[in-house]
Structures are given as C-alpha cells and as structure tokens.
PDB file of all heavy atoms in Angstrom:
ATOM      1  N   ILE A   1      24.719 -27.452  10.994  1.00  0.00           N
ATOM      2  CA  ILE A   1      24.472 -26.429   9.982  1.00  0.00           C
ATOM      3  C   ILE A   1      25.748 -25.616   9.808  1.00  0.00           C
ATOM      4  O   ILE A   1      26.280 -25.050  10.763  1.00  0.00           O
ATOM      5  CB  ILE A   1      23.317 -25.488  10.388  1.00  0.00           C
ATOM      6  CG1 ILE A   1      22.020 -26.293  10.553  1.00  0.00           C
ATOM      7  CG2 ILE A   1      23.129 -24.413   9.326  1.00  0.00           C
ATOM      8  CD1 ILE A   1      20.843 -25.444  10.951  1.00  0.00           C
ATOM      9  N   VAL A   2      26.240 -25.591   8.592  1.00  0.00           N
ATOM     10  CA  VAL A   2      27.442 -24.834   8.267  1.00  0.00           C
ATOM     11  C   VAL A   2      27.026 -23.585   7.503  1.00  0.00           C
ATOM     12  O   VAL A   2      26.405 -23.673   6.448  1.00  0.00           O
ATOM     13  CB  VAL A   2      28.418 -25.669   7.409  1.00  0.00           C
ATOM     14  CG1 VAL A   2      29.643 -24.829   7.058  1.00  0.00           C
ATOM     15  CG2 VAL A   2      28.825 -26.929   8.152  1.00  0.00           C
ATOM     16  N   PHE A   3      27.345 -22.416   8.049  1.00  0.00           N
ATOM     17  CA  PHE A   3      27.015 -21.157   7.396  1.00  0.00           C
ATOM     18  C   PHE A   3      28.181 -20.726   6.529  1.00  0.00           C
ATOM     19  O   PHE A   3      29.318 -20.641   6.992  1.00  0.00           O
ATOM     20  CB  PHE A   3      26.685 -20.076   8.426  1.00  0.00           C
ATOM     21  CG  PHE A   3      25.255 -20.124   8.880  1.00  0.00           C
ATOM     22  CD1 PHE A   3      24.836 -21.104   9.754  1.00  0.00           C
ATOM     23  CD2 PHE A   3      24.328 -19.227   8.396  1.00  0.00           C
ATOM     24  CE1 PHE A   3      23.519 -21.175  10.154  1.00  0.00           C
ATOM     25  CE2 PHE A   3      23.012 -19.288   8.789  1.00  0.00           C
ATOM     26  CZ  PHE A   3      22.595 -20.263   9.670  1.00  0.00           C
ATOM     27  N   ALA A   4      27.882 -20.457   5.273  1.00  0.00           N
ATOM     28  CA  ALA A   4      28.926 -20.090   4.314  1.00  0.00           C
ATOM     29  C   ALA A   4      29.290 -18.629   4.477  1.00  0.00           C
ATOM     30  O   ALA A   4      29.048 -17.791   3.615  1.00  0.00           O
ATOM     31  CB  ALA A   4      28.457 -20.373   2.894  1.00  0.00           C
ATOM     32  N   THR A   5      29.850 -18.308   5.629  1.00  0.00           N
ATOM     33  CA  THR A   5      30.313 -16.954   5.890  1.00  0.00           C
ATOM     34  C   THR A   5      31.491 -17.005   6.851  1.00  0.00           C
ATOM     35  O   THR A   5      31.576 -17.915   7.681  1.00  0.00           O
ATOM     36  CB  THR A   5      29.199 -16.067   6.493  1.00  0.00           C
ATOM     37  OG1 THR A   5      29.697 -14.738   6.657  1.00  0.00           O
ATOM     38  CG2 THR A   5      28.730 -16.596   7.835  1.00  0.00           C
ATOM     39  N   GLY A   6      32.385 -16.058   6.711  1.00  0.00           N
ATOM     40  CA  GLY A   6      33.496 -15.942   7.638  1.00  0.00           C
ATOM     41  C   GLY A   6      33.359 -14.695   8.484  1.00  0.00           C
ATOM     42  O   GLY A   6      34.257 -14.334   9.245  1.00  0.00           O
ATOM     43  N   ASN A   7      32.202 -14.009   8.368  1.00  0.00           N
ATOM     44  CA  ASN A   7      31.952 -12.759   9.075  1.00  0.00           C
ATOM     45  C   ASN A   7      31.568 -13.030  10.526  1.00  0.00           C
ATOM     46  O   ASN A   7      30.516 -13.598  10.804  1.00  0.00           O
ATOM     47  CB  ASN A   7      30.839 -11.991   8.349  1.00  0.00           C
ATOM     48  CG  ASN A   7      30.622 -10.607   8.918  1.00  0.00           C
ATOM     49  OD1 ASN A   7      30.351 -10.455  10.093  1.00  0.00           O
ATOM     50  ND2 ASN A   7      30.712  -9.609   8.064  1.00  0.00           N
ATOM     51  N   ALA A   8      32.430 -12.622  11.457  1.00  0.00           N
ATOM     52  CA  ALA A   8      32.200 -12.892  12.878  1.00  0.00           C
ATOM     53  C   ALA A   8      30.930 -12.217  13.385  1.00  0.00           C
ATOM     54  O   ALA A   8      30.210 -12.777  14.227  1.00  0.00           O
ATOM     55  CB  ALA A   8      33.402 -12.435  13.698  1.00  0.00           C
ATOM     56  N   GLY A   9      30.636 -11.003  12.886  1.00  0.00           N
ATOM     57  CA  GLY A   9      29.428 -10.298  13.311  1.00  0.00           C
ATOM     58  C   GLY A   9      28.172 -11.042  12.904  1.00  0.00           C
ATOM     59  O   GLY A   9      27.218 -11.165  13.681  1.00  0.00           O
ATOM     60  N   LYS A  10      28.159 -11.549  11.675  1.00  0.00           N
ATOM     61  CA  LYS A  10      27.002 -12.319  11.213  1.00  0.00           C
ATOM     62  C   LYS A  10      26.841 -13.595  12.031  1.00  0.00           C
ATOM     63  O   LYS A  10      25.729 -13.964  12.422  1.00  0.00           O
ATOM     64  CB  LYS A  10      27.163 -12.685   9.739  1.00  0.00           C
ATOM     65  CG  LYS A  10      26.926 -11.544   8.766  1.00  0.00           C
ATOM     66  CD  LYS A  10      26.990 -12.042   7.338  1.00  0.00           C
ATOM     67  CE  LYS A  10      26.773 -10.902   6.342  1.00  0.00           C
ATOM     68  NZ  LYS A  10      26.836 -11.381   4.944  1.00  0.00           N
ATOM     69  N   MET A  11      27.962 -14.281  12.292  1.00  0.00           N
ATOM     70  CA  MET A  11      27.876 -15.534  13.032  1.00  0.00           C
ATOM     71  C   MET A  11      27.340 -15.308  14.451  1.00  0.00           C
ATOM     72  O   MET A  11      26.610 -16.150  14.988  1.00  0.00           O
ATOM     73  CB  MET A  11      29.246 -16.214  13.085  1.00  0.00           C
ATOM     74  CG  MET A  11      29.657 -16.896  11.779  1.00  0.00           C
ATOM     75  SD  MET A  11      28.434 -18.093  11.143  1.00  0.00           S
ATOM     76  CE  MET A  11      28.270 -19.231  12.528  1.00  0.00           C
ATOM     77  N   LYS A  12      27.673 -14.180  15.065  1.00  0.00           N
ATOM     78  CA  LYS A  12      27.169 -13.878  16.401  1.00  0.00           C
ATOM     79  C   LYS A  12      25.653 -13.751  16.376  1.00  0.00           C
ATOM     80  O   LYS A  12      24.944 -14.319  17.218  1.00  0.00           O
ATOM     81  CB  LYS A  12      27.805 -12.585  16.922  1.00  0.00           C
ATOM     82  CG  LYS A  12      27.400 -12.234  18.348  1.00  0.00           C
ATOM     83  CD  LYS A  12      28.115 -10.968  18.819  1.00  0.00           C
ATOM     84  CE  LYS A  12      27.705 -10.614  20.247  1.00  0.00           C
ATOM     85  NZ  LYS A  12      28.402  -9.388  20.720  1.00  0.00           N
ATOM     86  N   GLU A  13      25.129 -13.017  15.377  1.00  0.00           N
ATOM     87  CA  GLU A  13      23.684 -12.865  15.238  1.00  0.00           C
ATOM     88  C   GLU A  13      23.029 -14.201  14.923  1.00  0.00           C
ATOM     89  O   GLU A  13      21.979 -14.548  15.473  1.00  0.00           O
ATOM     90  CB  GLU A  13      23.362 -11.860  14.130  1.00  0.00           C
ATOM     91  CG  GLU A  13      23.733 -10.436  14.457  1.00  0.00           C
ATOM     92  CD  GLU A  13      23.345  -9.470  13.350  1.00  0.00           C
ATOM     93  OE1 GLU A  13      22.600  -9.896  12.436  1.00  0.00           O
ATOM     94  OE2 GLU A  13      23.772  -8.317  13.382  1.00  0.00           O
ATOM     95  N   ILE A  14      23.624 -14.948  14.011  1.00  0.00           N
ATOM     96  CA  ILE A  14      23.066 -16.224  13.579  1.00  0.00           C
ATOM     97  C   ILE A  14      22.935 -17.195  14.752  1.00  0.00           C
ATOM     98  O   ILE A  14      21.906 -17.846  14.939  1.00  0.00           O
ATOM     99  CB  ILE A  14      23.942 -16.840  12.464  1.00  0.00           C
ATOM    100  CG1 ILE A  14      23.749 -16.056  11.160  1.00  0.00           C
ATOM    101  CG2 ILE A  14      23.603 -18.311  12.250  1.00  0.00           C
ATOM    102  CD1 ILE A  14      24.800 -16.348  10.100  1.00  0.00           C
ATOM    103  N   ARG A  15      23.986 -17.292  15.565  1.00  0.00           N
ATOM    104  CA  ARG A  15      23.961 -18.239  16.687  1.00  0.00           C
ATOM    105  C   ARG A  15      22.880 -17.871  17.700  1.00  0.00           C
ATOM    106  O   ARG A  15      22.217 -18.743  18.271  1.00  0.00           O
ATOM    107  CB  ARG A  15      25.327 -18.300  17.356  1.00  0.00           C
ATOM    108  CG  ARG A  15      26.364 -19.079  16.549  1.00  0.00           C
ATOM    109  CD  ARG A  15      27.599 -19.413  17.381  1.00  0.00           C
ATOM    110  NE  ARG A  15      28.483 -20.309  16.660  1.00  0.00           N
ATOM    111  CZ  ARG A  15      29.564 -19.926  15.991  1.00  0.00           C
ATOM    112  NH1 ARG A  15      29.910 -18.634  15.967  1.00  0.00           N
ATOM    113  NH2 ARG A  15      30.313 -20.805  15.358  1.00  0.00           N
ATOM    114  N   LEU A  16      22.693 -16.568  17.950  1.00  0.00           N
ATOM    115  CA  LEU A  16      21.658 -16.137  18.890  1.00  0.00           C
ATOM    116  C   LEU A  16      20.272 -16.527  18.392  1.00  0.00           C
ATOM    117  O   LEU A  16      19.419 -16.974  19.154  1.00  0.00           O
ATOM    118  CB  LEU A  16      21.730 -14.616  19.090  1.00  0.00           C
ATOM    119  CG  LEU A  16      22.812 -14.099  20.032  1.00  0.00           C
ATOM    120  CD1 LEU A  16      22.865 -12.574  19.985  1.00  0.00           C
ATOM    121  CD2 LEU A  16      22.544 -14.571  21.458  1.00  0.00           C
ATOM    122  N   ILE A  17      20.050 -16.361  17.100  1.00  0.00           N
ATOM    123  CA  ILE A  17      18.734 -16.642  16.532  1.00  0.00           C
ATOM    124  C   ILE A  17      18.481 -18.142  16.405  1.00  0.00           C
ATOM    125  O   ILE A  17      17.365 -18.628  16.607  1.00  0.00           O
ATOM    126  CB  ILE A  17      18.587 -15.965  15.154  1.00  0.00           C
ATOM    127  CG1 ILE A  17      18.593 -14.438  15.340  1.00  0.00           C
ATOM    128  CG2 ILE A  17      17.315 -16.408  14.446  1.00  0.00           C
ATOM    129  CD1 ILE A  17      18.732 -13.657  14.057  1.00  0.00           C
ATOM    130  N   MET A  18      19.532 -18.909  16.097  1.00  0.00           N
ATOM    131  CA  MET A  18      19.370 -20.334  15.833  1.00  0.00           C
ATOM    132  C   MET A  18      19.614 -21.220  17.056  1.00  0.00           C
ATOM    133  O   MET A  18      19.505 -22.435  16.974  1.00  0.00           O
ATOM    134  CB  MET A  18      20.337 -20.762  14.720  1.00  0.00           C
ATOM    135  CG  MET A  18      20.213 -19.981  13.430  1.00  0.00           C
ATOM    136  SD  MET A  18      18.666 -20.260  12.539  1.00  0.00           S
ATOM    137  CE  MET A  18      19.026 -21.823  11.718  1.00  0.00           C
ATOM    138  N   GLU A  19      19.940 -20.626  18.220  1.00  0.00           N
ATOM    139  CA  GLU A  19      20.369 -21.420  19.363  1.00  0.00           C
ATOM    140  C   GLU A  19      19.322 -22.412  19.841  1.00  0.00           C
ATOM    141  O   GLU A  19      19.658 -23.498  20.340  1.00  0.00           O
ATOM    142  CB  GLU A  19      20.808 -20.516  20.513  1.00  0.00           C
ATOM    143  CG  GLU A  19      19.716 -19.622  21.083  1.00  0.00           C
ATOM    144  CD  GLU A  19      20.252 -18.699  22.172  1.00  0.00           C
ATOM    145  OE1 GLU A  19      21.448 -18.838  22.510  1.00  0.00           O
ATOM    146  OE2 GLU A  19      19.487 -17.861  22.685  1.00  0.00           O
ATOM    147  N   ASP A  20      18.022 -22.078  19.688  1.00  0.00           N
ATOM    148  CA  ASP A  20      16.992 -22.998  20.170  1.00  0.00           C
ATOM    149  C   ASP A  20      16.652 -24.091  19.159  1.00  0.00           C
ATOM    150  O   ASP A  20      15.769 -24.909  19.391  1.00  0.00           O
ATOM    151  CB  ASP A  20      15.728 -22.228  20.551  1.00  0.00           C
ATOM    152  CG  ASP A  20      15.062 -21.556  19.363  1.00  0.00           C
ATOM    153  OD1 ASP A  20      15.756 -21.334  18.350  1.00  0.00           O
ATOM    154  OD2 ASP A  20      13.859 -21.249  19.451  1.00  0.00           O
ATOM    155  N   LEU A  21      17.380 -24.121  18.056  1.00  0.00           N
ATOM    156  CA  LEU A  21      17.135 -25.162  17.057  1.00  0.00           C
ATOM    157  C   LEU A  21      17.683 -26.506  17.538  1.00  0.00           C
ATOM    158  O   LEU A  21      17.257 -27.556  17.088  1.00  0.00           O
ATOM    159  CB  LEU A  21      17.786 -24.775  15.723  1.00  0.00           C
ATOM    160  CG  LEU A  21      17.392 -25.565  14.477  1.00  0.00           C
ATOM    161  CD1 LEU A  21      15.888 -25.551  14.266  1.00  0.00           C
ATOM    162  CD2 LEU A  21      18.103 -25.006  13.256  1.00  0.00           C
ATOM    163  N   GLY A  22      18.649 -26.437  18.469  1.00  0.00           N
ATOM    164  CA  GLY A  22      19.160 -27.663  19.057  1.00  0.00           C
ATOM    165  C   GLY A  22      20.163 -28.413  18.213  1.00  0.00           C
ATOM    166  O   GLY A  22      20.376 -29.610  18.407  1.00  0.00           O
ATOM    167  N   CYS A  23      20.800 -27.728  17.255  1.00  0.00           N
ATOM    168  CA  CYS A  23      21.812 -28.389  16.441  1.00  0.00           C
ATOM    169  C   CYS A  23      23.090 -27.545  16.435  1.00  0.00           C
ATOM    170  O   CYS A  23      23.077 -26.384  16.816  1.00  0.00           O
ATOM    171  CB  CYS A  23      21.316 -28.631  15.019  1.00  0.00           C
ATOM    172  SG  CYS A  23      20.818 -27.138  14.173  1.00  0.00           S
ATOM    173  N   GLU A  24      24.172 -28.140  15.980  1.00  0.00           N
ATOM    174  CA  GLU A  24      25.450 -27.443  15.933  1.00  0.00           C
ATOM    175  C   GLU A  24      25.450 -26.427  14.803  1.00  0.00           C
ATOM    176  O   GLU A  24      25.087 -26.739  13.670  1.00  0.00           O
ATOM    177  CB  GLU A  24      26.585 -28.451  15.715  1.00  0.00           C
ATOM    178  CG  GLU A  24      27.971 -27.845  15.754  1.00  0.00           C
ATOM    179  CD  GLU A  24      29.058 -28.867  15.476  1.00  0.00           C
ATOM    180  OE1 GLU A  24      28.725 -29.995  15.072  1.00  0.00           O
ATOM    181  OE2 GLU A  24      30.242 -28.519  15.653  1.00  0.00           O
ATOM    182  N   VAL A  25      25.844 -25.191  15.097  1.00  0.00           N
ATOM    183  CA  VAL A  25      25.905 -24.123  14.103  1.00  0.00           C
ATOM    184  C   VAL A  25      27.336 -23.628  14.012  1.00  0.00           C
ATOM    185  O   VAL A  25      27.893 -23.149  15.010  1.00  0.00           O
ATOM    186  CB  VAL A  25      24.959 -22.951  14.475  1.00  0.00           C
ATOM    187  CG1 VAL A  25      25.103 -21.808  13.480  1.00  0.00           C
ATOM    188  CG2 VAL A  25      23.514 -23.418  14.536  1.00  0.00           C
ATOM    189  N   VAL A  26      27.951 -23.757  12.845  1.00  0.00           N
ATOM    190  CA  VAL A  26      29.351 -23.362  12.684  1.00  0.00           C
ATOM    191  C   VAL A  26      29.531 -22.549  11.409  1.00  0.00           C
ATOM    192  O   VAL A  26      28.710 -22.613  10.486  1.00  0.00           O
ATOM    193  CB  VAL A  26      30.289 -24.592  12.629  1.00  0.00           C
ATOM    194  CG1 VAL A  26      30.200 -25.391  13.916  1.00  0.00           C
ATOM    195  CG2 VAL A  26      29.959 -25.476  11.431  1.00  0.00           C
ATOM    196  N   SER A  27      30.603 -21.774  11.357  1.00  0.00           N
ATOM    197  CA  SER A  27      30.952 -21.058  10.128  1.00  0.00           C
ATOM    198  C   SER A  27      31.722 -22.013   9.235  1.00  0.00           C
ATOM    199  O   SER A  27      32.186 -23.065   9.669  1.00  0.00           O
ATOM    200  CB  SER A  27      31.835 -19.851  10.450  1.00  0.00           C
ATOM    201  OG  SER A  27      33.122 -20.279  10.865  1.00  0.00           O
ATOM    202  N   MET A  28      31.875 -21.632   7.960  1.00  0.00           N
ATOM    203  CA  MET A  28      32.588 -22.517   7.034  1.00  0.00           C
ATOM    204  C   MET A  28      34.039 -22.701   7.469  1.00  0.00           C
ATOM    205  O   MET A  28      34.599 -23.789   7.338  1.00  0.00           O
ATOM    206  CB  MET A  28      32.520 -21.978   5.611  1.00  0.00           C
ATOM    207  CG  MET A  28      33.234 -20.678   5.408  1.00  0.00           C
ATOM    208  SD  MET A  28      33.183 -20.187   3.680  1.00  0.00           S
ATOM    209  CE  MET A  28      34.278 -18.774   3.740  1.00  0.00           C
ATOM    210  N   LYS A  29      34.637 -21.657   8.027  1.00  0.00           N
ATOM    211  CA  LYS A  29      36.031 -21.776   8.456  1.00  0.00           C
ATOM    212  C   LYS A  29      36.156 -22.717   9.636  1.00  0.00           C
ATOM    213  O   LYS A  29      37.120 -23.482   9.746  1.00  0.00           O
ATOM    214  CB  LYS A  29      36.598 -20.395   8.792  1.00  0.00           C
ATOM    215  CG  LYS A  29      36.814 -19.528   7.562  1.00  0.00           C
ATOM    216  CD  LYS A  29      37.489 -18.212   7.897  1.00  0.00           C
ATOM    217  CE  LYS A  29      37.731 -17.382   6.648  1.00  0.00           C
ATOM    218  NZ  LYS A  29      38.384 -16.087   6.941  1.00  0.00           N
ATOM    219  N   GLU A  30      35.168 -22.667  10.533  1.00  0.00           N
ATOM    220  CA  GLU A  30      35.165 -23.584  11.672  1.00  0.00           C
ATOM    221  C   GLU A  30      34.980 -25.023  11.204  1.00  0.00           C
ATOM    222  O   GLU A  30      35.382 -25.967  11.880  1.00  0.00           O
ATOM    223  CB  GLU A  30      34.062 -23.198  12.658  1.00  0.00           C
ATOM    224  CG  GLU A  30      34.334 -21.890  13.383  1.00  0.00           C
ATOM    225  CD  GLU A  30      33.138 -21.375  14.138  1.00  0.00           C
ATOM    226  OE1 GLU A  30      31.992 -21.663  13.721  1.00  0.00           O
ATOM    227  OE2 GLU A  30      33.336 -20.677  15.152  1.00  0.00           O
ATOM    228  N   ALA A  31      34.357 -25.163  10.024  1.00  0.00           N
ATOM    229  CA  ALA A  31      34.155 -26.495   9.451  1.00  0.00           C
ATOM    230  C   ALA A  31      35.373 -26.936   8.645  1.00  0.00           C
ATOM    231  O   ALA A  31      35.374 -28.002   8.042  1.00  0.00           O
ATOM    232  CB  ALA A  31      32.910 -26.497   8.574  1.00  0.00           C
ATOM    233  N   GLY A  32      36.397 -26.081   8.611  1.00  0.00           N
ATOM    234  CA  GLY A  32      37.629 -26.440   7.924  1.00  0.00           C
ATOM    235  C   GLY A  32      37.645 -26.100   6.455  1.00  0.00           C
ATOM    236  O   GLY A  32      38.434 -26.651   5.683  1.00  0.00           O
ATOM    237  N   ALA A  33      36.785 -25.165   6.024  1.00  0.00           N
ATOM    238  CA  ALA A  33      36.731 -24.802   4.605  1.00  0.00           C
ATOM    239  C   ALA A  33      36.984 -23.309   4.436  1.00  0.00           C
ATOM    240  O   ALA A  33      36.522 -22.499   5.228  1.00  0.00           O
ATOM    241  CB  ALA A  33      35.367 -25.156   4.030  1.00  0.00           C
ATOM    242  N   ASP A  34      37.719 -22.961   3.416  1.00  0.00           N
ATOM    243  CA  ASP A  34      37.995 -21.559   3.116  1.00  0.00           C
ATOM    244  C   ASP A  34      38.091 -21.377   1.598  1.00  0.00           C
ATOM    245  O   ASP A  34      39.113 -20.937   1.075  1.00  0.00           O
ATOM    246  CB  ASP A  34      39.286 -21.111   3.792  1.00  0.00           C
ATOM    247  CG  ASP A  34      39.460 -19.599   3.727  1.00  0.00           C
ATOM    248  OD1 ASP A  34      38.473 -18.911   3.418  1.00  0.00           O
ATOM    249  OD2 ASP A  34      40.591 -19.127   3.978  1.00  0.00           O
ATOM    250  N   PRO A  35      37.017 -21.711   0.876  1.00  0.00           N
ATOM    251  CA  PRO A  35      37.061 -21.681  -0.588  1.00  0.00           C
ATOM    252  C   PRO A  35      36.894 -20.268  -1.131  1.00  0.00           C
ATOM    253  O   PRO A  35      36.415 -19.380  -0.445  1.00  0.00           O
ATOM    254  CB  PRO A  35      35.863 -22.540  -0.980  1.00  0.00           C
ATOM    255  CG  PRO A  35      34.897 -22.248   0.109  1.00  0.00           C
ATOM    256  CD  PRO A  35      35.713 -22.143   1.369  1.00  0.00           C
TER     257      PRO A  35
END
C-alpha cells in the first residue's frame, strides 16, 4: 500500500493503525515517486 503523502507525522499514525494488516505500507517518496 502506497500512501500518497510525504508527511512524516501522518505516516507514523498510518503505520501504527495499519500494522496488523500484514502488508507493506510506504509513503509515495519511499516508493520512489515525488509528483
């Protein structure tokens, strides 16, 4: 799951909430995109 955000604060919250989903959670920048 690639989250279309570069906000570190949002990504911290997102990862905590989605951690039990069992899939990789990354920001768009971590996915190599910066549109």
Side-chain angles (χ1 to χ4, degrees):
I1 299 180
V2 178
F3 276 75
T5 183
N7 187 303
K10 285 185 181 180
M11 284 306 303
K12 183 178 180 180
E13 291 182 11
I14 287 166
R15 285 194 172 99
L16 281 173
I17 294 168
M18 304 292 280
E19 63 183 356
D20 65 339
L21 193 55
C23 58
E24 184 182 10
V25 176
V26 299
S27 70
M28 66 176 187
K29 289 185 178 180
E30 291 168 331
D34 191 15

